[in-house]
Amino acid sequence: MSEMRRKLVVGNWKMHGSLTENEALLGALKAGLASAHGFQGAVCVPFPYLAQAQALLTGSRISWGAQDVSERAKGAYTGEVCGAMLKDFGCHYVIVGHSERRTLHGEDNALVARKMRAAQAQGLLPIVCVGETLAQRSSGATEAVVCEQLDAVIAPAGVQSLAQAVVAYEPVWAIGTGKTATPDEAQSVHAVIRARIAVIDANVAAGLQILYGGSVKGSNAMALFKMPDIDGALVGGAALDATEFLAICQAAGASH
Ligand code: 13P
């Protein structure tokens, strides 16, 4: 089943970068990946740097995207950025429902579902994030939490909507903490996610890329990528370091 899915490595820069730093980082990634193959690579940059990403990455094998999108198409929504604007800057992906947006900006499952649909309406591929907190894991609620988050995005638009999406499993306790889920821990949740979808549509489940996120780095990427239901990574801190990000990409290319 996993043969039909290509590995995908996405850097989530979060609120990091500057014109100067980005130029150096993207230059190093382009040079390092010029002859790489067997995986897809992308960076999700802050909104102000989309034009720079487009200028530097057009024609390279790295795609780019944003970290959030408005649920609305246009209008008097101060500070919001809609999907059509992201398309204008050549975005391929947009992250929706990252745990930092859920926790710090009060995004709930229903809003995440609307953002996913708004992205798809513009032909963007949403990377829908799900994941449990440490307290939820400790109380044995991991599967219930992740399935509830997943069901919330499936319910309004149907499971077929996941045919045009990527899912990222990011256990909140592993984000930015240096604590990675073990490959077995991550695999077991990825398998739950795929099985949940397979009950409704086996083809959508088989084709869906499910990324793991949470303290992924060059040294732990390969073991994660060897797992049958882990189709790549959503990378935070290590995506800001060209050597680390390239090592993760190389592991993705070598892992199938
Ligand atoms: P870290 O890789 O820094 O743990 O962040 C993971 C993440 O949140 C990616 O979206």
Side-chain angles (χ1 to χ4, degrees):
M1 253 174 41
S2 62
E3 296 77 53
M4 62 186 287
R5 299 186 300 271
R6 258 152 79 88
K7 291 277 194 282
L8 170 63
V9 178
V10 180
N12 172 11
W13 287 7
K14 308 193 179 183
M15 200 171 72
H16 292 285
S18 69
L19 287 173
T20 313
E21 287 168 8
N22 305 345
E23 193 175 344
L25 177 54
L26 293 176
L29 297 187
K30 274 204 299 190
L33 296 177
S35 60
H37 51 85
F39 72 98
Q40 301 164 272
V43 288
C44 288
V45 307
F47 293 133
Y49 298 131
L50 285 173
Q52 185 188 25
Q54 183 177 35
L56 294 177
L57 296 178
T58 295
S60 79
R61 60 183 314 291
I62 310 165
S63 22
W64 60 96
Q67 300 169 15
D68 187 26
V69 65
S70 173
E71 64 178 301
R72 319 263 186 191
K74 67 152 67 168
Y77 304 106
T78 302
E80 290 281 272
V81 175
C82 65
M85 295 171 182
L86 302 183
K87 271 313 254 192
D88 256 354
F89 288 92
C91 287
H92 191 68
Y93 297 102
V94 61
I95 299 170
V96 299
H98 191 279
S99 65
E100 286 148 19
R101 298 223 50 96
R102 291 178 188 260
T103 344
L104 305 172
H105 300 271
E107 294 195 7
D108 62 13
N109 284 337
L111 176 58
V112 173
R114 293 196 297 276
K115 288 188 170 194
M116 171 176 154
R117 288 207 305 288
Q120 290 175 326
Q122 293 298 331
L124 295 157
L125 269 183
I127 301 172
V128 183
C129 301
V130 298
E132 82 288 1
T133 63
L134 186 56
Q136 289 164 333
R137 172 161 283 261
S138 308
S139 67
T142 299
E143 282 190 25
V145 168
V146 168
C147 288
E148 191 189 340
Q149 291 170 334
L150 199 60
D151 291 351
V153 297
I154 295 173
V159 80
Q160 203 51 43
S161 62
L162 286 179
Q164 299 302 325
V166 174
V167 168
Y169 168 57
E170 299 207 312
V172 178
W173 49 271
I175 295 178
T177 57
K179 274 188 216 158
T180 328
T182 65
D184 287 328
E185 281 172 334
Q187 163 60 26
S188 80
V189 181
H190 282 230
V192 164
I193 292 171
R194 203 177 304 283
R196 184 89 173 179
I197 299 162
V199 172
I200 319 172
D201 190 319
N203 285 333
V204 171
L208 180 70
Q209 287 173 312
I210 308 177
L211 312 183
Y212 168 77
S215 298
V216 176
K217 39 189 190 278
S219 56
N220 60 21
M222 181 60 104
L224 289 160
F225 294 161
K226 288 272 184 209
M227 293 288 146
D229 290 297
I230 300 184
D231 306 309
L234 184 55
V235 184
L240 302 171
D241 179 322
T243 309
E244 282 292 323
F245 194 70
L246 288 171
I248 297 167
C249 290
Q250 267 134 22
S255 64
H256 55 89

